[in-house]
């Protein structure tokens, strides 16, 4: 607790997905390292953190939030280097939202009696948290800020391809004089995550990632007293009605699927457009897509960065090729792709049917599947025809239609005339195979309190 130590496993390299250059060699934590981290977290929980008054815990969270702001540039550059996302996103979206999350939950630390869990809610203990590579620092904030505010200590495993900002965050915890053992970061791949989730002294498991691994985790903790929250995949419908403000909708569609290269669990990856306007909308959408600039993530003008890993690129290619094979029509932005690194051009498929795999499976890349509908009832039926239920978008000029359609959509978050808006005060989470539990807002506290 409180210091950097060598891992016992073999080390692994993390690379820049834009250039394939090695950025750093990272220690892999094995089961013994995970055990040491959980023990450190348990000691810190028993001796310091759970006993500390909320107003004192809040001071540490505020301090961390302020250091994140102060070191925002460094964090943004590191995130873009390791993840491949454009600097304008890491600088203007990820890092400010991370700081906002810590500020927000700092405010809750001494007001937990208003969390809706009784007069004197208690923390759960040690939280084991496993996060993905698409928003490395933001997912860390979503997990760590509410856990600490409620008085829990944490052991967090970042994804294998994006460990660097979590390690810088560990340094920030040192800088904030956070008591040793309150936050522990263990780097590694799936086996490290498995060891953490399965550790007998972990009281709470929080996971964000694929539905497949989420299900494995649910099975692993079944029959134990561990509390679990799972934030899994999505295949969100972005529904555009014929009375929608078209230019705004086009911006929302682009933001919905091309933000962060489409590596977004709540991405608007299925466009449902009303038949009468589909031709016009698609013309404008293609024109807008042609203006997107793809390239160096560290260039401030870049809109689309690199795909996070060779493995993910392979998966995007495979699913897109399946789209061709199933008879959908591919259109992609014509552009020269860099020779090094992992790149996939912004792409859309028309002529997609609900049975196509590109309409059903999470591609997790810059690929949009376009379907059409005639009536609001048909739109709702198609939107809900998915095993997932994380988010959805509705574009229309009519307030009454927004309310009626949103009410019928089986999705945790429904955006109206906007998309991909995040705020720490607002709960986020899924229906069906998108998982259970909420992160953010007052609801986000429930996952970390008895
Ligand atoms: P996952 O395998 O689910 O990875 C998420 C996290 O879980 C990573 O830290 C991963 O470690 C860890 N992990 C893997 N196996 C584990 C296990 N058995 N027990 C505990 N932890 C385990 O996702 P991925 O492989 O990165 O991506 C696969 C697909 O999942 C993507 O193509 C995409 O469709 C989807 N995905 C969804 C999301 C969200 S937010 N919904 C996020 C990422 C990916 P390592 O990665 O270090 O091996």
């Amino acid at each position: 607790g409180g210091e950097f130590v060598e891992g016992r496993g073999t080390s692994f390299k993390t690379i820049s997905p834009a250039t394939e250059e090695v950025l750093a060699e990272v220690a892999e934590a094995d089961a013994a390292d995970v055990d040491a981290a959980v023990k450190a977290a348990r000691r810190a929980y028993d001796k310091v953190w759970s006993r500390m008054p909320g107003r004192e815990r809040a001071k540490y969270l505020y301090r961390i939030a302020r250091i994140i702001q102060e070191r925002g540039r460094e964090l943004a550059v590191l995130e873009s280097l390791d993840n491949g996302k454009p600097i304008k996103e890491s600088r203007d979206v990820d890092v400010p939202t991370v700081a906002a999350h810590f500020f927000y939950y700092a405010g809750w630390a001494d007001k937990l009696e208003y969390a809706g869990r009784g007069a004197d809610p208690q923390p759960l203990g040690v939280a084991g948290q496993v996060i993905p590579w698409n928003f490395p620092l933001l997912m860390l904030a979503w997990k760590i800020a509410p856990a600490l505010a409620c008085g829990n200590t944490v052991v967090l495993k970042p994804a294998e391809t994006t460990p660097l900002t979590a390690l810088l965050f560990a340094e920030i915890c040192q800088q904030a004089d956070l008591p040793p053992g309150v936050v522990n970061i263990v780097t590694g791949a799936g086996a490290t995550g498995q060891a953490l989730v399965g550790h007998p002294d972990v009281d709470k498991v929080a996971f964000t990632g694929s539905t497949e691994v989420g299900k494995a985790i649910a099975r692993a903790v079944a029959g134990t007293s561990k509390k679990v929250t799972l934030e899994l995949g999505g295949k969100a419908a972005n529904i555009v009605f014929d009375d929608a403000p078209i230019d705004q909708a086009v911006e929302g569609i682009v933001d919905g699927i091309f933000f962060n290269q489409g590596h977004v669990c709540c991405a608007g990856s299925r466009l449902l457009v009303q038949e009468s306007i589909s031709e016009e909308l698609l013309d404008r959408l293609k024109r807008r897509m042609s203006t997107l600039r793809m390239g160096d993530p560290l260039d401030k003008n870049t809109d689309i960065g690199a795909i996070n890993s060779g493995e993910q690129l392979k998966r995007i290619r495979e699913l897109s090729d399946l789209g061709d094979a199933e008879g959908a029509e591919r259109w992609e932005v014509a552009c020269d792709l860099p020779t090094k690194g992992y790149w996939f051009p912004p792409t859309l498929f028309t002529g997609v049917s609900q049975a196509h795999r590109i309409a059903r499976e999470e591609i997790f890349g810059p690929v949009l599947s376009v379907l059409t509908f005639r009536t609001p009832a048909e739109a709702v039926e198609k939107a809900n025809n998915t095993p997932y239920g994380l988010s959805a978008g509705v574009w229309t000029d009519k307030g009454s239609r927004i309310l009626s359609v949103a009410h019928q959509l089986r999705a945790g978050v429904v955006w109206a005339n906007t998309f991909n808006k995040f705020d720490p005060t607002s709960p986020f989470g899924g229906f069906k195979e998108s998982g259970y539990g909420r992160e953010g807002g007052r609801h986000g506290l429930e996952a970390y309190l008895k």
Side-chain angles (χ1 to χ4, degrees):
E3 53 189 44
F4 286 88
V5 293
E6 287 295 330
R8 273 166 266 217
T10 39
S11 59
F12 61 95
K13 295 181 171 70
T14 183
I15 63 165
S16 152
T19 62
E20 297 176 55
E21 266 173 279
V22 174
L23 298 172
E25 202 151 309
V26 183
E28 185 193 37
D30 69 5
D33 295 314
V34 169
D35 183 54
V38 172
K39 285 204 169 91
R42 174 64 57 194
R43 271 195 306 276
Y45 177 78
D46 288 339
K47 298 211 163 87
V48 188
W49 201 247
S50 66
R51 298 178 178 194
M52 192 183 278
R55 63 175 184 281
E56 294 302 317
R57 288 199 304 271
K59 288 181 192 167
Y60 286 103
L61 289 169
Y62 279 123
R63 208 180 285 164
I64 289 170
R66 278 196 297 268
I67 301 173
I68 287 168
Q69 287 182 320
E70 278 163 25
R71 299 181 69 172
R73 183 131 309 205
E74 194 183 346
L75 286 163
V77 169
L78 193 60
E79 193 78 313
S80 284
L81 273 173
D82 204 16
N83 170 279
K85 64 174 72 198
I87 187 76
K88 75 175 173 198
E89 289 179 9
S90 48
R91 182 197 60 193
D92 300 343
V93 182
D94 296 48
V95 173
T97 317
V98 167
H101 225 80
F102 278 97
F103 277 121
Y104 175 73
Y105 280 109
W108 269 113
D110 62 349
K111 301 173 195 70
L112 295 175
E113 64 268 35
Y114 302 108
R117 310 278 302 177
D120 187 22
Q122 294 301 309
L124 299 176
V126 175
Q129 308 177 318
V130 178
I131 58 170
W133 42 262
N134 54 341
F135 291 95
L137 193 62
L138 186 58
M139 290 303 106
L140 173 150
W142 280 24
K143 297 275 177 289
I144 292 185
L148 297 196
C150 294
N152 305 275
T153 57
V154 306
V155 181
L156 176 136
K157 189 198 88 67
E160 183 184 8
T161 59
T162 54
L164 297 184
T165 45
L167 293 172
L168 186 55
F169 179 80
E171 198 182 290
I172 288 173
C173 292
Q174 286 181 325
Q175 195 183 340
D177 276 331
L178 191 71
V182 173
V183 169
N184 304 273
I185 308 289
V186 287
T187 46
T192 309
Q194 226 171 341
L196 176 57
V197 166
H199 194 290
D201 205 28
V202 162
D203 302 296
K204 148 89 194 170
V205 171
F207 171 78
T208 297
S210 62
T211 295
E212 193 191 339
V213 174
K215 284 180 180 171
I217 289 177
R219 279 194 295 272
V221 301
T224 71
S225 58
K226 289 174 193 172
K227 272 184 96 172
V228 192
T229 41
L230 301 173
E231 201 265 271
L232 310 176
K235 192 73 188 176
N238 208 354
I239 309 172
V240 183
F241 287 97
D242 59 5
D243 63 342
I246 286 229
D247 288 330
Q248 243 172 283
V250 166
E251 285 309 307
I253 295 162
V254 166
D255 183 50
I257 185 65
F258 302 120
F259 172 64
N260 203 33
Q261 294 71 247
H263 300 328
V264 184
C265 45
C266 54
S269 52
R270 284 185 301 150
L271 172 62
L272 299 188
V273 54
Q274 197 151 17
E275 214 170 83
S276 51
I277 56 157
S278 79
E279 213 170 299
E280 186 192 352
L281 183 99
L282 286 174
D283 278 350
R284 291 205 209 186
L285 178 60
K286 287 177 184 171
R287 238 178 297 148
R288 177 68 181 90
M289 282 168 66
S290 302
T291 66
L292 294 170
R293 282 155 302 200
M294 185 160 97
D296 182 3
L298 293 182
D299 183 331
K300 283 182 268 189
N301 294 312
T302 294
D303 299 305
I304 313 272
I307 299 303
N308 179 252
S309 65
E311 202 178 315
Q312 186 61 23
L313 179 60
K314 188 165 155 261
R315 186 179 152 78
I316 296 170
R317 283 189 178 141
E318 278 169 8
L319 274 164
S320 301
D321 291 348
L322 260 171
D324 298 329
E326 287 178 318
E329 206 171 302
R330 187 197 295 231
W331 183 90
E332 63 185 31
V333 173
C335 57
D336 294 328
L337 301 182
T339 49
K340 278 262 166 121
Y342 312 124
W343 306 92
F344 197 89
T347 299
L348 66 79
F349 279 97
T350 49
V352 179
S353 90
Q354 294 188 79
H356 286 168
R357 281 179 62 186
I358 53 167
R360 309 202 63 77
E361 291 178 31
E362 190 176 40
I363 301 176
F364 223 61
V367 182
L368 179 66
S369 300
V370 184
L371 296 96
T372 58
F373 67 87
R374 289 188 181 163
T375 63
E378 190 187 345
V380 169
E381 194 188 315
K382 286 187 167 167
N384 285 338
N385 183 4
T386 166
Y388 296 112
L390 194 53
S391 67
V394 183
W395 297 82
T396 169
D397 204 28
K398 287 197 185 75
S400 57
R401 185 177 278 163
I402 291 173
L403 294 175
S404 106
V405 170
H407 188 65
Q408 297 171 70
L409 291 173
R410 303 267 302 145
V413 182
V414 180
W415 285 292
N417 293 331
T418 187
F419 209 90
N420 272 345
K421 287 276 174 289
F422 302 100
D423 191 279
T425 61
S426 172
F428 183 90
F431 279 48
K432 303 191 275 186
E433 291 199 9
S434 291
Y436 40 79
R438 294 291 177 263
E439 294 185 294
R442 181 178 61 77
H443 301 74
L445 298 165
E446 288 175 17
Y448 290 98
L449 290 172
K450 269 186 205 145

